[in-house]
Amino acid sequence: MDILGVDVFEAVVVAVWAMLPAYVPNNVAVLAGGGAPIDGGRTWNGERILGDGKTWRGTVAGVAAGAVLALGLNAINGPNASIFGARLPDPFPAVVIVAMPLGAMLGDMGASFLKRRTGRQRGAAFPGVDQLDFVVMALLLTSLSAPGWTLRTFTLPVLTVVVVVTPFLHLVTNMAAYMVGLKNEPW
Ligand code: CTP
Ligand code: MG
């Protein structure tokens, strides 16, 4: 489907494909989380630096899962590869395989840092920030480490799709994780 000369379907396929290594880490962290918190229990101005919701185990597992997924996507990608007729983006460069999931986890941590500074307790919602924190950081690290690939992959239509679709995907997956008892809050 073309809108103003933009193949919307292809933009959605590229957006989801390219962002998958950033989408998966948060969900894997929920499954793997627990154990020692990254801030070691330390506080700043009476509030935890990050809180008990950011653990070493969850973070390492999340980054590893995102990287393995990126490798898997690269394995099924190739020159002129397409799915459902939509052309796939160029394979993830080696640095991006790490930058994407690491950025996602750092963005999520940055949000927790901001939540604690603004008096929000663990699990409190921070609308807007909760849905896009990981996207912003993942894209920032990725564009710094592989500017050429980032510009080629995240065209304006693709970026637009990412910003519109990500909050929706985030809400749906977190709602599902809440309903099956994996998460304490539906956001
Ligand atoms: N988690 C983790 N390590 C991370 C991110 C998440 O262990 N880096 C796990 C924690 O068990 C956390 C759960 O995933 O409780 C849900 O993640 P999230 O909603 O990001 O954390 P919250 O507990 O809601 O804490 P915060 O208010 O700081 O976001
Ligand atoms: Mg939360």
Side-chain angles (χ1 to χ4, degrees):
M1 182 181 59
D2 276 37
I3 296 179
L4 300 173
V6 171
D7 185 338
V8 177
F9 179 68
E10 186 157 288
V12 171
V13 168
V14 170
V16 172
W17 181 281
M19 288 306 291
L20 265 176
Y23 288 153
V24 163
N26 289 289
N27 300 300
V28 169
V30 173
L31 296 174
I38 292 171
D39 66 11
R42 280 183 287 273
T43 59
W44 186 23
N45 285 336
E47 296 290 346
R48 289 287 294 275
I49 296 175
L50 297 175
D52 283 330
K54 306 297 120 152
T55 68
W56 286 111
R57 206 165 75 201
T59 308
V60 170
V63 174
V68 167
L69 183 71
L71 285 170
L73 292 175
N74 272 0
I76 54 175
N77 198 351
N80 302 316
S82 64
I83 38 172
F84 313 123
R87 222 173 61 81
L88 292 179
D90 288 346
F92 300 104
V95 276
V96 172
I97 290 173
V98 178
M100 208 45 115
L102 185 64
M105 291 271 81
L106 289 177
D108 178 58
M109 255 177 245
S112 293
F113 180 80
L114 286 180
K115 286 186 193 178
R116 302 301 93 83
R117 306 286 75 71
T118 54
R120 291 174 167 82
Q121 298 307 309
R122 176 186 180 183
F126 201 163
V129 175
D130 275 330
Q131 287 74 42
L132 286 169
D133 51 17
F134 63 105
V135 170
V136 171
M137 231 12 207
L139 287 181
L140 184 68
L141 282 202
T142 299
S143 57
L144 290 176
S145 57
W149 179 85
T150 305
L151 282 174
R152 257 178 292 134
T153 306
F154 293 96
T155 58
L156 200 54
V158 171
L159 261 187
T160 307
V161 169
V162 169
V163 171
V164 172
V165 169
T166 302
F168 176 74
L169 280 178
H170 191 261
L171 287 172
V172 170
T173 48
N174 283 347
M175 190 69 81
Y178 172 73
M179 290 195 304
V180 298
L182 289 171
K183 248 178 103 61
N184 295 325
E185 309 87 19
W187 47 77

